[in-house]
Amino acid sequence: MLLVSLPEALLVTMLGFQLAGLGITSHHLIKTGMIQTASSYFIRLAPIPFGLHSLVQIVIYIFILRLVGMVIFNGCHLLPNLIPGRRR
């Protein structure tokens, strides 16, 4: 779990913040990665149909980001950053 899920959670979090153009401290990154790893482990053990666990993990990941206090979602301010070819 620690050799696969934790680095995966750290990389996904770093990539997401880089794509959104937001900064993240190492303290918040490690805290988010550890909570995401633990939640991922328990979700994979749950008797949830395949595919639904991904949606559950997305919702929990958003909750974790709000819990840690790094991101406040005010509408869709990140959406323009994800549209390819759009210039600001």
Side-chain angles (χ1 to χ4, degrees):
M1 181 170 84
L2 290 176
L3 295 176
V4 176
S5 293
L6 183 60
E8 177 184 342
L10 295 174
L11 288 174
V12 167
T13 303
M14 284 191 306
L15 177 65
F17 274 79
Q18 288 294 320
L19 288 175
L22 301 172
I24 185 170
T25 64
S26 60
H27 174 71
H28 285 132
L29 178 65
I30 292 170
K31 193 174 183 180
T32 303
M34 290 176 63
I35 296 170
Q36 180 66 19
T37 300
S39 68
S40 174
Y41 176 74
F42 290 114
I43 290 170
R44 290 177 185 162
L45 288 178
I48 299 174
F50 186 74
L52 186 60
H53 71 282
S54 297
L55 296 175
V56 172
Q57 281 186 312
I58 289 170
V59 170
I60 290 177
Y61 186 61
I62 291 170
F63 178 72
I64 290 169
L65 290 176
R66 297 221 28 181
L67 180 72
V68 173
M70 293 183 298
V71 177
I72 298 172
F73 296 99
N74 293 332
C76 292
H77 68 280
L78 296 179
L79 188 60
N81 292 337
L82 300 177
I83 299 173
R86 181 178 166 135
R87 302 279 181 203
R88 290 187 242 164

